[in-house]
Amino acid sequence: MKRFLTFGLSLVLAASCAKGQAGPNPLSVAVFVPGVTSGSPIYEMLVDGATKAVAEKPGATIKVIEAGYDQSTWLDSLRDTVASGEFGVIVSSNPSIPELCAKLSTDYPSVRFIVVDAYMAGNPSIHTVLYNQMEQGYIVGYLAGLVTKERKPDAVPVAGLIAAQRYPTLDRLIRPGFEAGLKAVDPAFTLEFREVGNWYDSAKASELASSLYGSGVEVILPIAGSGGQGVVASAREHEASVVWFDGAGYALDPEAVIGCATIAQDRLVYERLKAALDGDASKYGKAEIVSARDGYVSFDPEGTGYQALSATVKAGMDAALSSLRAGTPDFSFDTF
Ligand code: RBF
């Protein structure tokens, strides 16, 4: 009997041991794209950064999962990804994602989540990094302000923001930052805000832009994913301008796009995933904020549209950018 018990116990031990070993491979990475990669620079950089980190780690593998534009399906799709048991690390990007990860982390405690462009502190399975997008908004707001004032010195100063939808980082960082930039040029600036309703409808975004340009707006900032291409098309028709966000804006139109406030999302994802694949688990549970001071928020001057602007505008931008990097205005914050 005793022998039988011992045998039974060792079976249980062997089973639990095998289960431990069969847990997700910590070098197996899923990139969960909440939307569609193509047309959204923030997601293109997510995939690029993760691909580079995985390529440099012997034995690591990567699978990109595009969850599509229907946000109501994201939790199920993320659950399927996690429940497959295939992935040790899930990398994703956007402010709504940590909440979904937190719903799954208790049931799948050996899976780790790295979520950028997001903020959640205190969950031991999740590491988030948020960009100081108040600075990012300020940079293009300042440029939009300078260009508008130069072209229409006698008009009541106004600029446009066309967003896919409302969400906390837009309402609390991007929009107030953009307005602060405009008002730093002229406190009389007002902002015309319009909402598309999704992240892909460039025809709707173009219509909204045309009505703003038609009413005398000179510069629009789209925060609309691939829908932003409709704003660029409208700007081209109206011989007006667009300031762009995140990256790769100038490629859309060499003239209409006059500036791009960047985030170093590809570098950030690469760095954080590389450290994780090398065994550094110290970031999980932590929410960090990166900014212009450490170079993760910046401005790309390498576009024909920007280079064609007047020397006065470019000098104004140079001064504003150095000042921002040195901490003035100070948009820093510790929690979100
Ligand atoms: N940004 C994009 O460029 N493309 C998208 O498809 C996209 N989808 C989003 C969905 C949700 C629910 C939220 C909250 C944000 C989304 N963003 C998207 C915005 C993104 O997080 C970021 O704020 C902007 O790209 C500006 O940096």
Side-chain angles (χ1 to χ4, degrees), residues 154-244:
D154 302 322
V156 177
V158 59
L161 171 53
I162 295 181
Q165 64 174 102
R166 307 268 310 270
Y167 56 101
T169 51
L170 179 85
D171 294 342
R172 290 164 55 195
L173 300 175
I174 298 173
R175 181 176 173 166
F178 189 59
E179 284 178 310
L182 294 168
K183 287 180 193 290
V185 174
D186 182 346
F189 258 102
T190 56
L191 183 66
E192 291 292 334
F193 179 82
R194 299 288 184 277
E195 216 177 313
V196 181
N198 61 57
W199 293 91
Y200 54 84
D201 192 346
S202 53
K204 173 94 184 283
S206 176
E207 259 172 48
L208 294 170
S210 292
S211 113
L212 290 182
Y213 289 134
S215 74
V217 169
E218 193 56 37
V219 185
I220 296 176
L221 168 65
I223 303 289
S226 59
Q229 293 173 20
V231 179
V232 175
S234 168
R236 193 183 305 133
E237 272 171 37
H238 290 82
E239 295 182 359
S241 301
V242 172
V243 285
W244 195 254

Side-chain angles (χ1 to χ4, degrees), residues 34-36 40-43 69 71 74 94-96 117 133 136 165 167 169 174 199 223 225-226 245-246 263:
V36 171
S40 288
I42 198 161
Y43 294 154
Y69 287 117
Q71 293 166 23
W74 289 355
N94 116 17
S96 71
D117 179 30
Q133 291 196 302
Q136 195 186 358
Q165 64 174 102
Y167 56 101
T169 51
I174 298 173
W199 293 91
I223 303 289
S226 59
F245 233 54
D246 301 341
I263 47 175

Side-chain angles (χ1 to χ4, degrees), residues 259-297:
C260 182
T262 54
I263 47 175
Q265 163 109 326
D266 39 2
R267 176 160 66 91
L268 179 73
V269 169
Y270 165 76
E271 290 167 353
R272 299 301 157 108
L273 179 58
K274 185 176 171 61
L277 293 174
D278 285 340
D280 178 2
S282 66
K283 298 280 189 191
Y284 296 114
K286 292 184 183 146
E288 292 183 11
I289 300 164
V290 295
S291 67
R293 249 171 283 191
D294 40 42
Y296 289 95
V297 176

